[in-house]
Amino acid sequence: MQFAALAERAERVAATDGDIETTLGLADLLADAGPAAGAEGDGSTDGLPVVTRFLLGRVFPAHDTRTLDVGPALCREAIARAAGPNVSAADVEDRLAERGEIGTVAAEYDLGGQRGLAAFGEGRDALSVAAVDERLRGLAAESGDGSESRKRDALFGLFTRCSSSEAAFLARLVLGEMRLGVGEGTVRDAVAEAFLSTDQESDGDDASDDDNSDGPALRASDEAAAAVERALQVTNDYGRVAVRARDEGTEGLRAESLRVGRPVQAMLAQAGTATDAVDSFGAVAVETKFDGARVQVHYAPADPGSDGGDAAESDGDGLGPRLYSRNMDDVTEALPEIVEYVSERVDVPAIVDGEVVAVDDDGDPLPFQEVLRRFRRKHDVERMRETVSLRLHAFDCLHADGDDLLDEPLRVRHERLREVLPDATADLTLADDPEAIAAAERAALDAGHEGVMLKSPESTYTPGDRGRDWLKRKPDVETLDAVVVGAEWGEGRRAELFGTFLLAVRDEGAERPNDRGTDGGPTGDDGDLASAGYATVGKVATGITDEALADLTERLATHVVDESGTTVAFDPELVVEVGYEEIQTSPTYSAGYALRFPRFVGVREDKGVDDADSLTRVRRLAGDG
Ligand code: AMP
């Protein structure tokens, strides 16, 4: 594909309204990018992998540690030179300040007008995407003395061959800021749409969108999009995945696997409480949360050994240990003792996920800042090694001895991890109640660690995903003992039961008539029916079992003092314990505060309304008291 065609079509995609229209435009562009579609192409070169990466502002796949290393200043200088003798880098900078974006600036200068200066022979030909890719890869390979000016020359040479839309695309590409409004998800969907939509795939999957709707619709199935997503997770290379999808369909994508030496994105965690974990996982895998830097360890024995056969390609072919950061940067050189540690112990091809922590002379963990002194260091590595000692804690295993383990449950991956690297494997204990989790957390904190991670023992490893299968424990907040002052009847199946309960705390400042026998009293600012002497703070409907609901309804039905539509007010009688995520100021309730995500814990049988929590405590819990 010609670079000009890519630049112009990308501009059109960027100007398209609507997500589906954008995806369809991108899919057309991808379909025309390579020789397989027979559209344009430049002889034998397949433009598809390059076009796919370029659209995401990349020359190299995400797992590749090479970078262009072209900064904004170098780019401005190259543009200035291509713009001719009357334009200086400072002029380009001024214009950039006005326009706010380098592509627009590059497009405004007549860069191709300098063609006569730089171009001989091939320079007169239009640029293909393959030629641009080759030049940029060459530029990335420059290093050492004078590399800066050789990069500038190379970029200048490219700019002199650019039309205005090509110049805009190139400037954005080298700085990695495409501004097409096209994210990774859109490219994934476009790959599925271009190469796996129902009329290309013979297996007749249902299209994910409604064919009967009037507007444009995507035809690729959810299954096709998932196959693309999975291939991306294991390869981290959009270009490679696009080609696979085009040439081999979903089957080919499913055949993609992990490769030792090709890092994948780390699985991430969300914040959650012990109760959340027990509620969602039942038995919870509890691990120490180490306070260090994430590291992905790849290891391939120097001699692939008796494995033989096909294992070599996927198993890294004698790579030795390589270490990658959370952003997939190669940090091997900075961590020689981890390299030695792994070399001495691991003897099968493996990919292991873990955390590197700094430790003191007794082996106790040091704060996270200490690891940073070591992690990306290029100089003085040996000297710093004397100053800050490191230790590896491994907590997951993605690949072992020829087996990809992403789809295995955590408990199985952990077993494999123990086989691969027993000394470094972090303990995993199973707990099924919040008390046991709290005890594990106290032990982790006492040992100087950050806390605990709570994981589903059945969960698979999903690279790059910040899902609910891994929770970093957030301390549970203190619960509140509130008085139930009102309720709303349920709906449907639960119409005979109360569904939502209005909660209040004692308002010591307000006049409170005799506790019993009030007439229901005035309403709060919120308009909810509420008793005098109480200030409402929220409504709770979650965490109540059917049984508890029936019990609450029966107990409260005799205390109704007022009714309006489906809402009732109670004589203050019952105290319930509620959990919540936080307390915020809010005009909705008469207390001036609202519980966020309140959750029913139980009835406080031991408490009367005079023992319920007060507005003063609510203020304190909200941080105002
Ligand atoms: P945070 O950086 O606060 O989002 O917490 C998640 C990070 O905790 C992960 O990316 C890891 O670097 C780190 N971590 C420490 N111990 C563990 C563990 N046992 N399992 C998973 N991640 C852990």
Side-chain angles (χ1 to χ4, degrees):
M1 175 176 251
Q2 297 301 317
F3 188 53
L6 169 61
E8 278 150 28
R9 291 181 63 171
E11 243 170 49
R12 254 181 281 147
V13 169
T16 306
D17 286 333
D19 293 346
I20 293 183
E21 288 81 352
T22 303
T23 308
L24 291 172
L26 209 55
D28 280 346
L29 175 48
L30 294 177
D32 292 344
E40 317 175 30
D42 51 299
S44 60
T45 328
D46 184 359
L48 180 60
V50 177
V51 165
T52 316
R53 288 181 201 126
F54 277 11
L55 288 167
L56 287 165
R58 297 188 155 280
V59 175
F60 299 105
H63 66 77
D64 197 317
T65 47
R66 284 175 290 177
T67 54
L68 290 185
D69 211 12
V70 168
L74 196 142
C75 183
R76 291 195 299 267
E77 284 161 19
I79 291 172
R81 243 174 91 195
N86 299 328
V87 180
S88 69
D91 296 334
V92 177
E93 196 170 352
D94 288 346
R95 198 174 284 198
L96 180 59
E98 279 167 33
R99 301 286 188 263
E101 191 271 314
I102 195 71
T104 313
V105 173
E108 282 176 5
Y109 288 113
D110 180 18
L111 305 185
Q114 293 298 303
R115 201 171 279 193
L117 275 181
F120 297 94
E122 56 141 28
R124 266 182 262 279
D125 299 332
L127 285 166
S128 67
V129 290
V132 174
D133 187 53
E134 196 188 312
R135 290 299 175 91
L136 293 177
R137 281 168 182 261
L139 185 149
E142 292 288 357
S143 66
D145 282 351
S147 60
E148 186 89 354
S149 77
R150 288 195 296 278
K151 283 184 181 187
R152 199 181 305 109
D153 290 348
L155 205 51
F156 156 71
L158 276 175
F159 274 126
T160 58
R161 296 173 62 186
C162 283
S163 66
S164 62
S165 54
E166 286 174 292
F169 194 98
L170 179 64
R172 291 170 183 154
L173 174 63
V174 295
L175 296 181
E177 306 163 358
M178 294 313 292
R179 306 176 67 92
L180 295 174
V182 166
E184 299 195 350
T186 316
V187 175
R188 177 200 59 207
D189 292 347
V191 168
E193 189 61 24
F195 307 119
L196 307 171
S197 56
T198 36
D199 51 353
Q200 273 123 1
E201 284 280 284
S202 53
D203 56 7
D205 292 342
D206 286 343
S208 55
D209 284 82
D210 184 3
D211 289 337
N212 299 325
S213 65
D214 293 338
L218 299 181
R219 290 164 308 157
S221 65
D222 289 345
E223 206 181 300
V228 176
E229 174 70 25
R230 163 36 67 104
L232 289 171
Q233 286 182 342
V234 297
T235 63
N236 260 307
D237 183 348
Y238 279 82
R240 177 185 172 112
V241 168
V243 172
R244 270 275 193 172
R246 182 194 62 197
D247 298 346
E248 298 170 51
T250 42
E251 283 311 307
L253 291 173
R254 290 199 188 105
E256 286 286 11
S257 58
L258 294 174
R259 202 174 78 204
V260 177
R262 190 173 64 193
V264 298
Q265 292 188 40
M267 179 160 172
L268 301 170
Q270 280 187 25
T273 63
T275 331
D276 294 339
V278 171
D279 288 351
S280 345
F281 313 148
V284 179
V286 185
E287 294 172 7
T288 296
K289 184 168 193 285
F290 305 100
D291 193 11
R294 188 82 174 255
V295 70
Q296 201 172 94
V297 179
H298 288 233
Y299 179 78
D303 166 22
S306 53
D307 252 349
D310 311 336
E313 207 253 340
S314 69
D315 283 347
D317 210 7
L319 180 83
R322 301 304 305 176
L323 309 176
Y324 301 95
S325 73
R326 177 173 161 157
N327 298 329
M328 299 186 287
D329 293 334
D330 190 330
V331 291
T332 314
E333 305 309 324
L335 310 171
E337 66 268 59
I338 308 292
V339 168
E340 286 160 20
Y341 183 90
V342 170
S343 311
E344 283 161 17
R345 287 167 180 77
V346 183
D347 54 9
V348 293
I351 303 177
V352 163
D353 193 2
E355 190 92 347
V356 167
V357 291
V359 290
D360 64 17
D361 293 342
D362 298 328
D364 292 329
L366 292 171
F368 151 76
Q369 289 76 5
E370 292 297 314
V371 183
L372 293 188
R373 296 174 64 197
R374 292 283 317 271
F375 212 62
R376 286 169 200 282
R377 182 167 286 275
K378 295 206 169 67
H379 309 290
D380 283 344
V381 171
E382 285 304 324
R383 187 176 60 78
M384 279 309 289
R385 181 178 174 177
E386 303 300 317
T387 318
V388 181
S389 305
L390 298 180
R391 184 173 164 194
L392 171 68
H393 293 281
F395 50 73
D396 216 314
C397 186
L398 282 53
H399 179 94
D401 203 6
D403 299 329
D404 274 1
L405 304 173
L406 293 181
D407 294 327
E408 296 291 342
L410 170 63
R411 55 190 166 71
V412 172
R413 300 198 307 274
H414 205 265
E415 284 302 309
R416 297 295 299 265
L417 177 62
R418 254 184 218 298
E419 290 163 20
V420 170
L421 204 53
D423 306 350
T425 299
D427 284 338
L428 180 158
T429 51
L430 288 179
D432 54 14
D433 72 277
E435 275 313 307
I437 292 172
E441 184 178 30
R442 276 193 300 276
L445 293 171
D446 287 349
H449 299 294
E450 206 186 357
V452 285
M453 296 286 295
L454 308 175
K455 301 180 180 177
S456 158
E458 301 307 318
S459 60
T460 57
Y461 192 101
T462 43
D465 187 30
R466 193 185 287 285
R468 297 288 302 166
D469 286 334
W470 285 16
L471 298 177
K472 38 187 176 180
R473 201 187 96 77
K474 202 169 82 174
D476 287 318
V477 287
E478 295 171 60
T479 56
L480 198 72
D481 293 330
V483 179
V484 183
V485 294
E488 286 162 29
W489 288 106
E491 290 175 352
R493 186 171 70 81
R494 292 180 155 185
E496 300 296 304
L497 302 171
F498 294 129
T500 303
F501 298 89
L502 180 63
L503 305 170
V505 289
R506 288 181 298 112
D507 182 359
E508 313 92 322
E511 190 194 336
R512 194 144 61 108
N514 297 338
D515 280 342
R516 301 230 154 211
T518 64
D519 61 359
T523 62
D525 296 345
D526 49 359
D528 284 309
L529 301 166
S531 301
Y534 292 91
T536 54
V537 287
K539 290 177 184 165
V540 66
T542 37
I544 318 178
T545 60
D546 283 355
E547 201 184 329
L549 214 51
D551 178 50
L552 288 169
T553 304
E554 194 182 324
R555 292 170 71 163
L556 287 163
T558 54
H559 295 280
V560 174
V561 290
D562 201 355
E563 188 146 11
S564 154
T566 55
T567 310
V568 299
F570 300 125
D571 188 5
E573 173 66 24
L574 197 68
V575 180
V576 293
E577 182 178 358
V578 282
Y580 49 85
E581 236 148 61
E582 59 179 327
I583 300 182
Q584 292 181 326
T585 54
S586 157
T588 311
Y589 296 102
S590 62
Y593 294 93
L595 306 182
R596 273 196 87 212
F597 303 117
R599 148 182 72 80
F600 177 80
V601 178
V603 175
R604 288 300 303 250
E605 308 287 1
D606 56 329
K607 283 197 168 183
V609 289
D610 285 341
D611 307 315
D613 278 317
S614 63
L615 186 52
T616 310
R617 178 151 191 264
V618 169
R619 285 199 189 101
R620 185 174 66 70
L621 290 169
D624 289 347

